[in-house]
Amino acid sequence: AWKRQNYRRKRAQWLSEGRCTNCGYPVVGVDQRTNQPARRCERCLETCRQSTWRRRGKHVLILGQRGMGPPGIAHDNAWPRTTVERLIRLTDRPIVYRVHTGAPSGSTPSLGCRISAGKPLEEDLQDCWAVVTYRSTAAITALRLGIPVIAEPGCFAAGLGSTELAGIEEPAMPEGRDQFFFDLAYAQWNDDEIGRGEAWRWLMDAR
């Protein structure tokens, strides 16, 4: 039987932000291994088809989080406000703060920018210039749509984006988008694959 403690003993790392939300996989990752083959990604390329990098757009979208999780996963209470304040100094673009769908009602303070709550993510990403996040899974959706991402160090999405907020007017659009999703495909396994032992065998090979 598949047991989470077995993965932990093998130094498995659970990555709450490393997931392709379009495919609905549960999440498990090991050391964020890179240069993985395309085999697993072929199963979901139809739904995760990468569009070209978006080189036009209007607003900057900040992805809010619930504030839950250990240090390094959850941002502190000051992060939304300080991020908005920095962006106001760096760009004249409209700034939109997207409230996490799981955030308690009334928990979002006044931030001096437009607040979006209750909308589908895809609506907020329409005509979006760039996404700014701490460690939100939704950044993967932005990357799938070709929207540049600026993330805090350690965020899975930072591997295909930037960690420098000062670059908001010229966000990174690196090569290697296919490889990013190839690697991501090996950080997510569904229940059937886990039941067949595929995830366990891969973890053993990854030691």
Side-chain angles (χ1 to χ4, degrees):
W2 178 62
K3 297 182 182 296
R4 290 188 176 184
Q5 59 265 33
N6 289 336
Y7 285 90
R8 293 193 181 101
R9 283 201 292 268
K10 297 301 180 181
R11 296 183 301 167
Q13 179 183 3
W14 293 85
L15 305 172
S16 61
E17 79 285 358
R19 178 165 61 95
C20 178
T21 55
N22 202 52
C23 296
Y25 275 90
V27 185
V28 58
V30 182
D31 300 329
Q32 299 186 16
R33 296 183 72 198
T34 57
N35 299 318
Q36 297 302 300
R39 180 179 64 85
R40 281 181 54 76
C41 195
E42 290 173 353
R43 303 179 186 181
C44 61
L45 268 179
E46 184 175 350
T47 53
C48 292
R49 180 66 62 186
Q50 300 98 314
S51 57
T52 58
W53 282 117
R54 183 181 297 182
R55 301 182 183 275
R56 62 181 63 185
K58 293 182 179 179
H59 65 276
V60 176
L61 181 66
I62 302 175
L63 299 175
Q65 296 183 203
R66 289 178 291 179
M68 299 172 59
I73 298 295
H75 60 61
D76 59 50
N77 292 334
W79 185 84
R81 183 179 299 280
T82 57
T83 301
V84 170
E85 290 174 349
R86 289 187 62 195
L87 283 170
I88 290 173
R89 294 194 297 269
L90 291 167
T91 183
D92 293 328
R93 297 178 184 277
I95 300 169
V96 180
Y97 181 86
R98 176 180 169 81
V99 178
H100 193 285
T101 55
S105 178
S107 63
T108 304
S110 175
L111 297 173
C113 68
R114 182 161 69 86
I115 303 296
S116 175
K119 289 184 178 180
L121 175 60
E122 287 72 16
E123 287 189 23
D124 283 334
L125 291 174
Q126 290 178 6
D127 207 19
C128 178
W129 169 253
V131 160
V132 175
T133 182
Y134 190 81
R135 297 187 73 156
S136 173
T137 304
I140 302 297
T141 300
L143 291 174
R144 178 173 57 84
L145 296 174
I147 301 170
V149 169
I150 298 176
E152 292 291 329
C155 177
F156 197 94
L160 195 62
S162 170
T163 59
E164 299 296 331
L165 199 61
I168 188 63
E169 282 302 318
E170 296 182 359
M173 301 180 190
E175 300 293 332
R177 296 180 71 224
D178 286 355
Q179 187 61 58
F180 175 86
F181 283 96
F182 296 163
D183 297 342
L184 179 60
Y186 279 87
Q188 52 189 20
W189 305 86
N190 63 33
D191 291 341
D192 289 340
E193 293 167 332
I194 291 169
R196 293 194 300 267
E198 291 185 31
W200 179 250
R201 286 192 292 274
W202 185 84
L203 287 169
M204 294 298 95
D205 291 342
R207 287 184 298 173

